Amino acid sequence: MQDSDLLFGALSRRDALRYAVLATGSGLTADLLRSTAAFAVTPGTLVVAAPGTPQSLDNEYDGSLGTIDAIGQLYDSLVAYRKIPDPKHPDVMREDIVDNPSLPGDADLEGRLAESWDVAPDGLSLRMHLRKGVLSNWGNELTADDVKWTWDRKFALNAIGGFQVGLMALATPDSVKVEDRYTVTFHPSQPNPIMLKIQTHRYANIFDSVKCKQMATADDPWARKFLENDSAGFGPYRLAAITRGQQAVFKARADYYLGKPAIDTVIYKEVPTSSARVALLQGGAVDIAQALQPLEIKQLEKAPGVKVETVAASSMMWIILNAKIAPFDKPEVRQAMNYAFPRAQVIASIFQNIASPLNGCMPNIYPGFNGTFDHYGYDLEKAKALLLKAGLPDGFKMQISYNAGDPVQEPIAILFQTSLRKIGVELTLHKVPAGTYFNEVSARKQPMLFFVDAPWTADPVFALRLYFYSKSFVDYSNYANPEVDKLIEAGAQMTDLGKRTELMQKIQEIVMADAPWVFVASPNYTMARRDTVRGFTYYTSNSINFADFSAQA
Amino acid sequence: MSGPSGTIVSAGGLSLPPRAGRRSRWRSRGSLFLLVLHGRPSFALGYVIVTAVMTCAILAPWIAPYDPVTANPDVYLSPPGFSHWLGTDNTGMDILSRILFAPRTDLTIAVLGTALSAMVGIPLGAIVGYYEGRSLARRTFSVLVMRAADVLQAFPVFVFAIALVAVFGQSIISVVVAIAFVNIPIYLRLMRSQVLSIRGMRYVDAAFVAGSSDFAILRRHILPNAIAAALAQLSVNIGWSVLLTAGLSFVGAGVVAPTPEWGSMIATGYQNVTTGQWWPSVFPGVALGLTVFGFALIGNSIEVMADPAQLRLVGRAGKGG
């Protein structure tokens, strides 16, 4: 055998193998894309590319994007905000969250599972009259018992629902009373001006208690196992299939009480990397791509066949300054950190202007927000003077923790590091894996951490109590100001909207001066979709409702 | 190389008496080196690349146009141009300056990690090889060490390194330890096999009969004759360790941001490739590839110098044969 034959033989075998693997791989990928693309152009089918599938379908224990999205389709709440066009994007609808004192609960709401409601003027009771003939995905009719069982479950499991119980100021399960088959009343232990607004919360959804009781066992009286993988609700969709890590399929319900949604089938696909979601959207393989990076959004704005809408949202990004760890126990140091933060540059470069400066301690789209208390322009001289006043003329060394799963946090930290170096503060960066990041935040032991959150209920009492009330478990800054606590407690019981707003303004003024956070940005909510998909509606939960969408063939 | 009777034998077949002067030994090695470069000119490229990279590492503070860790958001993601020859990254840091500074981190980690693994693996491998098959206790010791190495090597190297960094925390020292750990079995096995073949030589028996202790036999007679293969492995391992360092940084388990390091630069920049900004990741990628290539070439050249058969081939090629 000649050398050339040997070489040819060896190469051809190796190459044959290599090409076979490549061909199989590319064939599979092409098949996947083709099958997904086929769904994406099928009328009545919507394909959503999301960072992850729902981990759990039980909202008591999971707050990830997949779960939040799923809950909105499978369940319904008692009331919802009325929708109005977005002032900047008339094609986009959003909730009318402006306070209106002429309306019960000061809120412009429309009935969902409840058709009417009575709010006691003293704020000590909320009566909900339920819609009749509403069926669950298991065919059971909605009754007051379902509402009662839902809140009993929150009391019993005391996880995310426990937080809602606290906000409603419900002392015991008996505080929720069934009046008759279609009437239920909430009796808070103190005047509660926001109890109606809390019913709009994405996680204030109502369960089909008949089905849940059927699925409950002696070991699992609240049907946790069942609700983790299936649903029993009154929402517009039912779960057809779920393969975690791959996709969840939702089917529209023909017997939905508001009529069958326009989109019959929704395929909610897990596509972990944002660049892959962008590529799939550009190629037409998916209809909606969620959670994209600012530069990708800018790129998609120019892409043919793709429509991008970005609207002001309830999301806030801030840097927690732990008030129990020196030197952040001194307000002057916290203020100095804010003066040294290059906020405008961060918004322009990292966020590509798809965000607004966080110029307050609650979402700037919420009623009662006041942005005039924000005095933190970029001023290194002022920052130095404040450090001097705090007894730190030479600066200090500090560590900032950031979430490895959020690609914007590291570059922001680097910009902040460069800026702080100019006033003698040496910042070292500590990357925390996304899976354990929340543990770091909730442990409250790190001096500085990035955090992104949104209070879903559009109310200042809700938002401010969440982050700045010293007894709140979400007060991750360990911020404690007795005056603020007192004002929050008073505001939480103040039924007079004018006086309540006054109190909330005072709280914002104090908190902004105390600066328990470095106020970073309010990132916009962006909907990137094929231009054939219509009906984007923005919700303060920063999630989507499939029933809002329709698709042109 | 050394012959059975302690005669130093050059790979080209040139024999020198054991007590030949240091100068003549160096001269012999120098001519060997030139012979190899003459026969395989591509090896010279490896030395040029590695020398250039080391020069950059040493002179970086003087030749880099910008501070490598100072962000400038006014020029974020600037394409290559006059002010920033290789462009800037998403925080406005100059990519050229960071590439010039990066070998300080990458080479330090790679060299320290490799040296540490060689320092542990070489003597341990020599001891294991020397005692293998002797008394029960010594045999047990050898078996235990080799099975431990098996366990160590059974883990995928990268996953094992990530686990180590996760345990020790994210720092340069952790990466050095991780690299050392995953490299130890390589030197251990290499030395063991060398020592196994040498320990039966007559000059070893002679030393034993003359009353030399085990330690003396290992140190004076076995180690010097067995170490050449391990030394040839060093260069290849340094290149591989640079790659592993970059890989660890790429997945976020390497150095702390914004330390200039090729892997972390690629990781930071790859997100921008899909949006059209290719320069933050491509340039560090090229630098990394060249460096690894350079070390691989040097490793090959050392391997050739240590192997008489290959050296003869090179010698013939050099003479046009």
Side-chain angles (χ1 to χ4, degrees):
Chain A
M1 193 183 275
Q2 284 184 342
D3 279 356
S4 59
D5 285 343
L6 241 175
L7 184 68
F8 182 75
L11 273 178
S12 64
R13 271 198 300 277
R14 194 182 303 150
D15 284 357
L17 264 173
R18 190 181 296 155
Y19 292 140
V21 170
L22 272 175
T24 315
S26 56
L28 284 173
T29 313
D31 282 349
L32 180 70
L33 280 173
R34 260 199 303 278
S35 64
T36 316
F39 277 123
V41 294
T42 305
T45 300
L46 188 81
V47 184
V48 180
T53 46
Q55 288 307 299
S56 168
L57 294 171
D58 187 348
N59 60 343
E60 190 66 26
Y61 296 103
D62 198 325
S64 61
L65 177 62
T67 303
I68 297 166
D69 274 343
I71 293 297
Q73 328 312 322
L74 304 171
Y75 296 93
D76 235 337
S77 47
L78 296 173
V79 288
Y81 278 102
R82 211 175 290 281
K83 312 294 181 306
I84 54 168
D86 184 89
K88 288 184 185 165
H89 303 272
D91 290 347
V92 179
M93 300 297 285
R94 64 186 304 139
E95 296 158 303
D96 179 16
I97 54 175
V98 176
D99 278 339
N100 185 341
S102 67
L103 295 170
D106 309 320
D108 184 11
L109 304 180
E110 59 187 13
R112 300 303 286 247
L113 297 180
E115 58 184 359
S116 63
W117 46 92
D118 309 311
V119 181
D122 60 2
L124 283 169
S125 81
L126 168 67
R127 178 170 291 123
M128 308 299 289
H129 303 280
L130 304 182
R131 210 180 278 267
K132 290 170 186 161
V134 175
L135 297 179
S136 77
N137 57 317
W138 295 101
N140 300 312
E141 194 199 7
L142 171 76
T143 66
D145 286 335
D146 295 322
V147 180
K148 169 76 177 150
W149 189 86
T150 297
W151 282 88
D152 285 352
R153 189 173 192 266
K154 291 181 196 292
F155 269 102
L157 299 180
N158 197 26
I160 293 176
F163 169 67
Q164 291 176 323
V165 165
L167 283 167
M168 287 288 284
L170 301 172
T172 65
D174 293 336
S175 307
V176 183
K177 281 191 180 140
V178 174
E179 306 275 342
D180 59 41
R181 185 172 169 81
Y182 300 108
T183 309
V184 64
T185 308
F186 295 88
H187 294 283
S189 56
Q190 60 190 39
N192 189 338
I194 65 167
M195 58 186 163
L196 186 58
K197 285 182 180 176
I198 290 168
Q199 300 302 327
T200 68
H201 197 279
R202 187 114 173 155
Y203 276 13
N205 53 295
I206 304 300
F207 292 106
D208 168 4
S209 63
V210 175
K211 180 66 185 175
C212 290
K213 282 175 187 168
Q214 280 171 9
M215 301 311 293
T217 61
D219 294 339
D220 181 19
W222 299 102
R224 282 179 58 179
K225 281 180 192 156
F226 167 69
L227 291 172
E228 201 175 297
N229 300 304
D230 208 332
S231 69
F234 301 92
Y237 284 85
R238 66 178 173 79
L239 185 73
I242 181 166
T243 309
R244 289 187 175 86
Q246 292 182 25
Q247 64 179 32
V249 180
F250 300 88
K251 283 276 184 190
R253 287 181 51 207
D255 57 351
Y256 182 52
Y257 67 96
L258 293 176
K260 189 186 175 189
I263 304 284
D264 182 66
T265 306
V266 178
I267 301 170
Y268 194 84
K269 288 190 84 69
E270 177 164 322
V271 184
T273 54
S274 64
S275 56
R277 295 195 289 275
V278 169
L280 289 171
L281 181 65
Q282 278 184 303
V286 301
D287 297 297
I288 291 173
Q290 290 188 306
L292 304 179
Q293 295 310 305
L295 272 167
E296 293 166 344
I297 293 168
K298 284 285 171 192
Q299 180 201 10
L300 279 176
E301 283 174 352
K302 299 174 214 150
V306 175
K307 180 139 185 155
V308 176
E309 281 145 338
T310 175
V311 296
S314 60
S315 269
M316 300 183 287
M317 175 185 274
W318 67 89
I319 298 168
I320 293 166
L321 300 175
N322 195 326
K324 279 196 177 162
I325 296 179
F328 297 135
D329 51 347
K330 295 175 181 164
E332 294 87 0
V333 179
R334 302 195 297 256
Q335 289 162 357
M337 299 301 276
N338 273 282
Y339 280 114
F341 185 74
R343 197 161 51 176
Q345 290 178 319
V346 164
I347 301 287
S349 61
I350 311 294
F351 284 106
Q352 295 286 301
N353 289 316
I354 309 174
S356 56
L358 181 59
N359 55 349
C361 51
M362 57 179 275
N364 54 20
I365 60 167
Y366 280 9
F369 170 79
N370 191 327
T372 61
F373 305 126
D374 172 35
H375 307 295
Y376 301 112
Y378 187 56
D379 190 340
L380 292 179
E381 288 308 313
K382 210 161 192 173
K384 266 189 205 169
L386 283 162
L387 287 185
L388 187 68
K389 197 175 164 191
L392 295 162
D394 301 324
F396 54 92
K397 286 185 178 170
M398 186 47 62
Q399 176 182 278
I400 185 167
S401 303
Y402 63 97
N403 185 348
D406 186 346
V408 302
Q409 292 187 11
E410 184 176 292
I412 295 174
I414 291 171
L415 292 184
F416 198 16
Q417 182 189 49
T418 296
S419 179
L420 285 174
R421 210 177 285 142
K422 294 171 189 165
I423 58 166
V425 177
E426 279 303 320
L427 198 64
T428 51
L429 274 59
H430 175 224
K431 185 189 281 192
V432 181
T436 56
Y437 191 73
F438 188 69
N439 296 343
E440 292 273 334
V441 173
S442 54
R444 305 188 203 186
K445 286 182 179 160
Q446 295 292 338
M448 281 178 90
L449 303 105
F450 276 90
F451 197 53
V452 182
D453 199 14
W456 290 352
T457 301
D459 186 87
V461 172
F462 183 93
L464 296 171
R465 181 180 159 141
L466 209 56
Y467 304 120
F468 306 111
Y469 186 48
S470 64
K471 291 172 194 163
S472 165
F473 71 91
V474 191
D475 175 26
Y476 297 129
S477 300
N478 281 323
Y479 174 68
N481 183 328
E483 191 185 354
V484 169
D485 281 354
K486 208 182 287 176
L487 288 167
I488 286 174
E489 282 162 10
Q493 299 180 42
M494 183 68 69
T495 51
D496 183 301
L497 178 62
K499 286 181 184 167
R500 193 165 82 243
T501 305
E502 228 171 81
L503 290 176
M504 295 302 116
Q505 303 272 320
K506 185 70 189 159
I507 294 170
Q508 289 174 68
E509 186 180 0
I510 298 169
V511 170
M512 288 305 287
D514 282 349
W517 302 347
V518 173
F519 301 93
V520 179
S522 292
N524 286 8
Y525 184 86
T526 299
M527 168 57 56
R529 56 181 168 84
R530 298 298 302 174
D531 56 8
T532 49
V533 177
R534 303 269 160 96
F536 167 42
T537 303
Y538 170 72
Y539 295 91
T540 54
S541 56
N542 300 302
S543 53
I544 53 175
N545 279 354
F546 305 153
D548 296 329
F549 292 101
S550 62
Q552 282 181 325
Chain B
M1 297 283 290
S2 194
S5 58
T7 308
I8 296 172
V9 181
S10 83
L14 174 69
S15 296
L16 289 169
R19 301 205 185 278
R22 188 172 289 178
R23 189 180 294 173
S24 55
R25 234 180 295 170
W26 275 109
R27 200 178 298 145
S28 158
R29 282 171 189 165
S31 30
L32 193 65
F33 178 66
L34 290 175
L35 175 75
V36 170
L37 290 193
H38 183 64
R40 297 269 175 88
S42 61
F43 288 161
L45 184 64
Y47 289 94
V48 170
I49 291 171
V50 171
T51 308
V53 169
M54 285 181 168
T55 309
C56 284
I58 293 162
L59 299 180
W62 295 278
I63 59 176
Y66 296 92
D67 186 311
V69 292
T70 295
N72 181 3
D74 294 335
V75 292
Y76 74 96
L77 289 174
S78 293
F82 287 114
S83 334
H84 299 276
W85 290 2
L86 302 185
T88 60
D89 67 8
N90 61 347
T91 58
M93 291 194 283
D94 183 59
I95 289 171
L96 173 62
S97 305
R98 289 175 64 73
I99 284 179
L100 291 172
F101 269 91
R104 290 185 156 214
T105 311
D106 282 296
L107 289 186
T108 303
I109 292 173
V111 170
L112 283 179
T114 308
L116 200 61
S117 59
M119 283 193 293
V120 176
I122 288 173
L124 201 58
I127 293 166
V128 167
Y130 185 69
Y131 286 132
E132 195 159 300
R134 299 277 166 92
S135 70
L136 180 67
R138 289 165 178 179
R139 197 162 57 222
T140 309
F141 169 73
S142 294
V143 168
L144 281 177
V145 171
M146 291 316 291
R147 293 301 78 80
D150 285 346
V151 171
L152 213 61
Q153 286 193 303
F155 285 102
V157 170
F158 202 67
V159 174
F160 189 60
I162 290 174
L164 283 175
V165 172
V167 170
F168 294 119
Q170 197 184 359
S171 72
I172 286 178
I173 293 169
S174 300
V175 183
V176 168
V177 171
I179 286 173
F181 234 74
V182 296
N183 279 336
I184 285 172
I186 296 171
Y187 293 99
L188 179 70
R189 288 187 186 287
L190 208 59
M191 279 306 287
R192 175 183 161 272
S193 63
Q194 290 286 315
V195 172
L196 274 175
S197 66
I198 289 171
R199 70 174 189 181
M201 297 283 183
R202 284 186 184 170
Y203 66 88
V204 177
D205 291 342
F208 182 72
V209 171
S212 298
S213 66
D214 287 353
F215 177 73
I217 293 170
L218 267 172
R219 191 177 68 83
R220 294 175 63 184
H221 301 287
I222 294 181
L223 214 54
N225 291 307
I227 206 165
L231 292 181
Q233 183 67 28
L234 276 176
S235 176
V236 179
N237 253 27
I238 289 173
W240 182 83
S241 300
V242 169
L243 207 58
L244 184 62
T245 306
L248 285 172
S249 294
F250 183 82
V251 299
V255 297
V256 174
T259 310
E261 193 282 323
W262 291 322
S264 67
M265 289 174 74
I266 296 168
T268 307
Y270 94 96
Q271 291 158 1
N272 301 120
V273 172
T274 53
T275 53
Q277 296 85 20
W278 51 269
W279 53 93
S281 59
V282 167
F283 289 125
V286 169
L288 174 65
L290 277 176
T291 307
V292 176
F293 179 58
F295 276 107
L297 284 176
I298 291 179
N300 280 356
S301 73
I302 295 173
E303 203 180 316
V304 168
M305 282 192 273
D307 183 351
Q310 285 197 55
L311 200 58
R312 269 194 295 277
L313 283 173
V314 170
R316 275 186 219 148
K319 289 170 190 163

